Amino acid sequence: MSRKSTAAGLLDWPIVRGAARDAFVKLDPRKLAKNPVIFVTEMVSVVVTVFFVRDLLANTGTAGFTGQITAWLWFTVLFANFAEAVAEGRGKAQADSLRRTRTETHAKRLIDPAGKSGMKDVVQGVSALDLKLGDVVLVEAGDVIPCDGEIIEGVASVNESAITGESAPVIREAGGDRSAVTGGTTVLSDWIKVKVTAEPGSTFIDRMIALVEGAQRQKTPNELALSILLSGLTIIFLIVCVTLWPLAAYSGTTLSVSVLIALLVCLIPTTIGGLLSAIGIAGMDRLIRFNVIATSGRAVEAAGDVDTLLLDKTGTITFGNRMADEFIPVGAATERELAEAVLLASLADETPEGRSIVALAQSRYDVRAPFSVEAPEPALEGAGAASDPDPCAEMTVVPFSAQTRISGVNIAGRALRKGAVDAILAQIAETKIPDGFHKTVERISRAGGTPLAVSDNGRLLGVVYLKDIVKPGIKERFAALRAMGIKTVMVTGDNPTTAAAIAGEAGVDDFIAQATPEDKLAYIRKEQQGGRLIAMCGDGSNDAPALAQADVGVAMQTGTQAAREAGNMVDLDSDPTKLIEVVAIGKQLLMTRGALTTFSIANDVAKYFAIIPALFVAAYPELEAMNVMRLASSQSAILSAVIFNALIIVALIPLALRGVEYRPVGAAALLRRNLLIYGAGGLIAPFVGIKLIDLVVQALRLA
């Protein structure tokens, strides 16, 4: 997400228009009570309004001054409400786009499902809203999946762009960790039977809508601590302003209630108080723009302080399916001869492994199938090579079975077979095993791969190296996490040899082999007891306990329902390295809050120099030395400070929503940056702003 596109979102006129309306709705004291600073500002605005009405009816000469203060105090409250409403409006816009995917959908509910082909069951057409937990629905090519569920039969290509925004379809199939489907997505090919796992109104999309609208957002510990600090400062300045009245009377200075309230509002941290909610909401909104749904504001904050990241291997670091990586010939066989043989043996193999073998033979060795398996009378053209099958030959497919652990074809008098090494060797005499075959198999096994032996009429041609492929670019992303001070740990059920090979290829810092769900849970608890914050990425049901225990549990959208419900974040792109963006956004949220708090408190110091001399200069002429801005009059000074106090909230709304730019620097460097930029800026800006406003106020008064 570029800065430009984010900035464009800030200026979305429909959001601004709705936020302006909501700013008035939020004047309800019951809503503002959650924000003590702005609540106090509203209450004192009511008091000043009463005094303005009194002065107006009494026709006193101070009615105009009191009225201006009243107006700008109310503007301060409205601008604070507006900041929060803009942030909420961006979330509601996201929710509306999700809600559009939840249009009226019809479902094919199965009555007593029994058939295996998907065509022999009794189908009842119903509305998706009438589906109940445990119902089974048939979803065919072109149908919209009507509900969240688990595939219990079939395999299909599914378009999940309505949820993830990605146009590339994904494969969903029964069994394993890729069986979960989401309502609102579309089946592009084949058919699946889906068991409903969520009641209407509590589906994944429903939860996403509620979350992005902020309905379930809770204040985080950091926010609560900051709220307590702001409340404390408000009480302190309230006491100060109350005690100023008798002190002023003792010195012979008469202070009106309106002036004291103006002083109070200028001194309490209204800037950060007005922007605090917007910062938190915007942090979750930025996650959504990276296709990550956070179910907890606490998780967003915790992501900014994560020390260790645990990642499940299968489906998270790797694709999860064994794929062909290399053809290794043995004996007198050549690579091309092996590639041609294994291509023919795999043409009818629809497993992921079989498809990957065909793809590798075509891409790396430029071997093409001379016919399609479905063709009844295959025509073989260009048969010049010795290994080409006879054009008149018929092909017989030998399907894979758990008993034989072998598959292949019989064609042109050739019996082409591929399968488990021991199963293939059982058909071959010991004297016909080429030298180096066993060493090749052992080398593949040590590297964590799976060897498949290939034979042609009982002659060993070589070995297919199947491996769990590491997702591209993941090593560089882990290096970026390491640079951010985050330790990466891979957890897998594989043996230590396989785990070490995958860990080395992926570039993780450590690994836990042969890990059970209990092992993952114990590791996280041990690290947490040492004061570390742990993030966990996973997609399987066996990852659910660890996802629930981790401070930041990122579940993959492609994972099971149990994993998605256990995590406090869901990555719609199923990219485990997305945690880089999650951590950056968490750190950005904390940095933004700290920067604006620094700016707000520094602001108050500068406004002190504007108002205090104006209040007491008549009684103590020495205070004129503090009037460094040379403001025109006491009334102009007070009014200019109040106007600046209101306008600075509006000026900082884009920064609160966009966030302070994150840079991976240490805490000391970050503190220096905050003090130099936002501390110094908070001191200088009011001097410049109040002086300019004072000049405008004087010009208007003289006009």
Side-chain angles (χ1 to χ4, degrees), residues 53-354:
V53 173
R54 184 202 65 180
D55 293 346
L56 193 63
L57 294 177
N59 198 22
T60 64
T62 60
F65 175 67
T66 308
Q68 292 179 74
I69 290 182
T70 301
W72 284 105
L73 289 181
W74 280 113
F75 278 135
T76 302
V77 179
L78 287 171
F79 290 158
N81 289 346
F82 177 75
E84 183 175 4
V86 168
E88 290 177 350
R90 286 150 59 95
K92 289 177 181 177
Q94 293 276 352
D96 289 340
S97 66
L98 289 171
R99 193 175 282 109
R100 284 193 291 271
T101 69
R102 200 184 54 178
T103 54
E104 178 66 22
T105 305
H106 295 282
K108 301 171 183 175
R109 182 164 58 191
L110 299 181
I111 307 300
D112 190 24
K116 294 185 178 180
S117 65
M119 304 301 293
K120 297 180 180 179
D121 300 299
V122 178
V123 177
Q124 177 188 37
V126 297
S127 167
L129 299 177
D130 295 330
L131 293 174
K132 298 179 181 178
L133 203 65
D135 282 350
V136 177
V137 295
L138 173 66
V139 191
E140 299 174 295
D143 292 347
V144 174
I145 297 176
C147 57
D148 289 1
E150 295 278 350
I151 300 175
I152 60 173
E153 186 179 336
V155 57
S157 175
V158 180
N159 178 5
E160 295 186 339
S161 60
I163 304 299
T164 65
E166 297 293 330
S167 57
V170 294
I171 301 297
R172 294 286 177 263
E173 56 189 340
D177 289 342
R178 297 180 181 270
S179 60
V181 290
T182 304
T185 57
T186 305
V187 171
L188 299 179
S189 66
D190 303 292
W191 57 268
I192 51 176
K193 292 180 184 178
V194 178
K195 183 178 181 180
V196 178
T197 58
E199 295 279 5
S202 60
T203 63
F204 184 64
I205 288 184
D206 290 313
R207 295 200 305 275
M208 287 168 62
I209 290 172
L211 290 167
V212 296
E213 286 182 328
Q216 298 178 14
R217 183 178 176 273
Q218 301 292 325
K219 281 195 173 184
T220 64
N222 186 282
E223 273 185 290
L224 291 173
L226 188 54
S227 295
I228 292 171
L229 172 63
L230 298 182
S231 300
L233 290 174
T234 302
I235 293 172
I236 290 171
F237 284 117
L238 185 60
I239 295 172
V240 168
C241 291
V242 170
T243 55
L244 273 179
W245 199 349
L247 289 174
Y250 178 78
S251 64
T253 303
T254 302
L255 296 180
S256 68
V257 174
S258 300
V259 169
L260 281 175
I261 287 177
L263 174 63
L264 171 67
V265 172
C266 287
L267 292 184
I268 62 177
T270 49
T271 305
I272 185 61
L275 298 173
L276 185 58
S277 295
I279 294 169
I281 296 171
M284 296 182 74
D285 179 65
R286 282 194 293 276
L287 274 181
I288 294 169
R289 290 167 183 265
F290 278 103
N291 268 2
V292 177
I293 300 295
T295 63
S296 161
R298 182 191 299 265
V300 182
E301 271 193 9
D305 292 320
V306 161
D307 302 299
T308 305
L309 168 62
L310 270 69
L311 303 105
D312 178 53
K313 186 206 77 172
T314 306
T316 304
I317 291 178
T318 66
F319 284 107
N321 292 321
R322 296 177 306 168
M323 302 175 70
D325 185 66
E326 187 181 359
F327 298 151
I328 306 172
V330 294
T334 64
E335 278 190 89
R336 185 168 185 83
E337 183 182 1
L338 173 60
E340 290 173 346
V342 77
L343 172 71
L344 291 173
S346 304
L347 283 177
D349 187 351
E350 288 302 316
T351 64
E353 292 86 352

Side-chain angles (χ1 to χ4, degrees), residues 479-493:
L481 284 169
R482 193 176 300 110
M484 296 168 71
I486 299 175
K487 177 183 177 182
T488 53
V489 180
M490 182 186 78
V491 288
T492 176

